[in-house]
Amino acid sequence: MTLTADLFFSFRSPYSYLSIGRYRAMAEEYDVDIALRPVYPLAVRQPDFFERNHPNWLGYTMRDMIRVAQFHAIPFGAPRPDPIIQNVMTREIAAEQPYIRRVTRMGQAAARRGKGLVFAAEAGRMIWGGQENWHEGDHLATALERADLDATEIEVEVASEAEALDAEIGANQAALEAAGHWGVPTLVFEGEPFFGQDRIDMVKWRMEQRGLARR
């Protein structure tokens, strides 16, 4: 029996990126269908969130994400550019956010077709894996094609159905909170949320209790 789970994911979250390749590998190796549920990052939903964090938060997070990438041998680097447009001096979040909105809408369009997990892995590797100007040219189109999607079709859908896609993305956030969490990456399996890239082994353990089998 194929198991099912939802993965709540942000294209701006380094920990989402550090989890996505391993969840993709799990879905390829085991009989489990992991549906991507993209959400907008906290910088869009709660622009003052990071200003309220402890002063040590940023330094520790930077150290930890690099360490996690090294431990798992995952290509990792600062996005160029950041998916979020932000004043680096004042930390003010710009009202217009074309980069993160475009790629998140692409993720939701891919999820409509059951290809969200693969697209997120491919696009995440471009954003966080060192691809300069990932938002320009055919970089995202290449990620779509690697997910076996029609890039032109997705681009048209993202442009013409932005409001509907945003409503679905908002519903994803509501579903995440209804499941008992608010952050990403969070995988929800049988109503149980597992938050963080360091919960993947525990997710697999829980799924094995429910009969997880290799493909």
Side-chain angles (χ1 to χ4, degrees):
M1 181 182 67
T2 301
L3 302 181
T4 60
D6 290 332
L7 177 61
F8 296 89
F9 175 97
S10 163
F11 288 92
R12 207 253 179 155
S13 160
Y15 289 114
S16 286
Y17 164 64
L18 292 168
S19 73
I20 192 67
R22 288 178 283 155
Y23 276 127
R24 177 184 181 179
M26 178 187 292
E28 290 174 350
E29 183 176 357
Y30 294 93
D31 191 12
V32 57
D33 180 10
I34 300 177
L36 189 82
R37 304 286 298 271
V39 301
Y40 283 121
L42 282 170
V44 171
R45 292 184 286 112
Q46 299 178 31
D48 65 340
F49 175 82
F50 297 100
E51 297 176 9
R52 295 185 273 111
N53 279 330
H54 191 281
N56 286 344
W57 178 85
L58 181 59
Y60 176 81
T61 300
M62 292 294 293
R63 173 182 290 181
D64 185 60
M65 67 177 71
I66 292 169
R67 172 172 64 200
V68 170
Q70 291 173 340
F71 181 79
H72 291 287
I74 300 171
F76 187 81
R80 297 179 296 172
D82 190 327
I84 292 297
I85 299 175
Q86 181 179 22
N87 185 313
V88 295
M89 300 299 294
T90 66
R91 297 187 179 182
E92 181 181 3
I93 305 296
E96 298 296 321
Q97 294 291 341
Y99 309 154
I100 191 62
R101 292 197 182 279
R102 180 182 175 217
V103 72
T104 305
R105 288 167 183 160
M106 282 183 173
Q108 183 59 33
R112 286 175 167 181
R113 295 159 171 81
K115 302 290 182 65
L117 191 72
V118 178
F119 170 69
E122 295 291 344
R125 184 162 48 197
M126 288 187 175
I127 296 169
W128 291 97
Q131 176 61 63
E132 189 171 3
N133 295 321
W134 57 268
H135 64 308
E136 295 181 345
D138 62 356
H139 295 310
L140 289 175
T142 298
L144 289 165
E145 289 164 2
R146 288 177 179 168
D148 196 26
L149 292 162
D150 185 316
T152 300
E153 178 182 280
I154 297 295
E155 288 279 17
V156 169
E157 188 168 304
V158 164
S160 64
E161 298 187 32
E163 187 174 337
L165 289 166
D166 279 350
E168 293 171 17
I169 293 163
N172 291 342
Q173 181 63 42
L176 169 60
E177 294 178 8
H181 213 279
W182 61 94
V184 292
T186 294
L187 184 135
V188 177
F189 174 62
E190 295 187 344
E192 183 177 12
F194 297 83
F195 169 68
Q197 62 78 32
D198 55 348
R199 290 295 182 268
I200 296 175
D201 287 343
M202 192 173 289
V203 166
K204 183 171 175 285
W205 164 77
R206 179 66 83 209
M207 289 180 175
E208 287 171 342
Q209 294 177 336
R210 302 294 187 267
L212 180 67
R214 294 184 185 276
R215 292 192 183 277

